[in-house]
Amino acid sequence: RKTGMLVPNFGHSDKRGYFLAMPYYINLAPNYDDTLTPRYMSRRGLQLQNEFRYLGKRYGGNIDLEYLPSDTITDTYRAAAKYAHGQTFSDHWGGGINMQWVSDKDYLVDLGDSVAATSATHLPRTGLLAYNDNIWRFAAHTLSYQTVDKTIATLDRPYSILPQLTLAADVPTGANRLRYALNSEWVNFDRNAGVTGQRLDINPSVSLPLRNAYAFVIP
């Protein structure tokens, strides 16, 4: 890995006109780097894109930024950001976040550089904290969206989960002995319009797996 220019990207689209991107890679350290990309678009102007990546023994992530100071068509600034991070706190605890944002609802349609980006209707924002051991599994999860398709009515937009808590247990036992388990969930559904509410599910269970070489029965 060496600091220097990467392969340029050029082409043409109806929204951007002719465009040329010149990525410059910066090898900052063995475990983090940065790529700065000026992108000129004949119909929009000069945009700056930046990708910063980092990696540690128990964590890793990246920060992506895009900024267009003045769109020559809309006469406004346009920007986008994405942050993804995952981390292991200990042998049992871990978590992560994934955040996406755009400055306006037409950003991906006007400036997105892939079919997947331009066809996106919602940008997710998630957070997760999880615990696992030989018996217990716990997770706290949040999920919300930025709706980028302005044709979607307010009542048709997805619910946010703020938060979702799950707790599960599976007690290991020996052969032909009672087995205890639990699955449970509490979740709060929220949005700006329409019905909102909370839901609680608790599902404890007891089973007796009886097995031998030629048959099994699990009451």
Side-chain angles (χ1 to χ4, degrees):
R1 295 164 50 212
K2 295 182 178 180
T3 297
M5 297 297 299
L6 300 180
V7 178
N9 177 30
F10 60 92
H12 178 271
S13 74
D14 293 338
K15 296 287 186 178
R16 290 170 288 165
Y18 292 97
F19 60 87
L20 173 65
M22 300 289 292
Y24 187 79
Y25 176 79
I26 307 172
N27 183 24
L28 298 171
N31 65 323
Y32 57 90
D33 57 25
D34 192 87
T35 303
L36 177 63
T37 305
R39 180 171 72 159
Y40 175 74
M41 299 168 286
S42 62
R43 297 197 63 192
R44 301 285 178 173
L46 179 63
Q47 179 190 52
L48 294 178
Q49 301 174 324
N50 195 80
E51 179 189 25
F52 177 75
R53 306 185 302 174
Y54 59 92
L55 181 66
K57 185 176 181 180
R58 288 180 173 266
Y59 62 87
N62 61 279
I63 303 172
D64 298 324
L65 302 173
E66 298 181 356
Y67 183 67
L68 179 61
S70 179
D71 189 324
T72 55
I73 294 180
T74 65
D75 197 28
T76 60
Y77 88 96
R78 316 287 294 276
K82 179 180 179 181
Y83 176 50
H85 177 86
Q87 182 155 351
T88 301
F89 301 108
S90 67
D91 292 339
H92 301 295
W93 286 95
I97 58 176
N98 190 323
M99 307 289 290
Q100 299 183 53
W101 170 84
V102 292
S103 59
D104 58 87
K105 295 182 178 181
D106 293 321
Y107 185 91
L108 296 177
V109 174
D110 293 343
L111 302 174
D113 55 5
S114 69
V115 174
T118 57
S119 61
T121 57
H122 304 87
L123 297 180
R125 300 166 179 174
T126 64
L128 175 66
L129 177 66
Y131 173 86
N132 289 277
D133 63 20
N134 293 332
I135 297 177
W136 295 97
R137 299 183 305 278
F138 166 78
H141 181 221
T142 63
L143 171 63
S144 63
Y145 297 92
Q146 180 185 8
T147 300
V148 294
D149 185 346
K150 57 187 178 183
T151 65
I152 298 177
T154 302
L155 289 175
D156 293 330
R157 297 178 183 181
Y159 282 91
S160 297
I161 298 174
L162 300 170
Q164 176 193 45
L165 304 177
T166 60
L167 179 65
D170 192 353
V171 181
T173 58
N176 301 325
R177 297 177 60 183
L178 286 173
R179 181 175 181 177
Y180 306 93
L182 169 70
N183 283 287
S184 61
E185 176 197 57
W186 177 81
V187 58
N188 178 44
F189 296 99
D190 188 34
R191 66 179 180 182
N192 294 329
V195 177
T196 62
Q198 303 174 4
R199 184 177 66 198
L200 175 65
D201 296 294
I202 302 176
N203 182 21
S205 64
V206 179
S207 61
L208 179 60
L210 303 174
R211 303 176 185 273
N212 57 28
Y214 54 86
F216 69 90
V217 177
I218 305 179

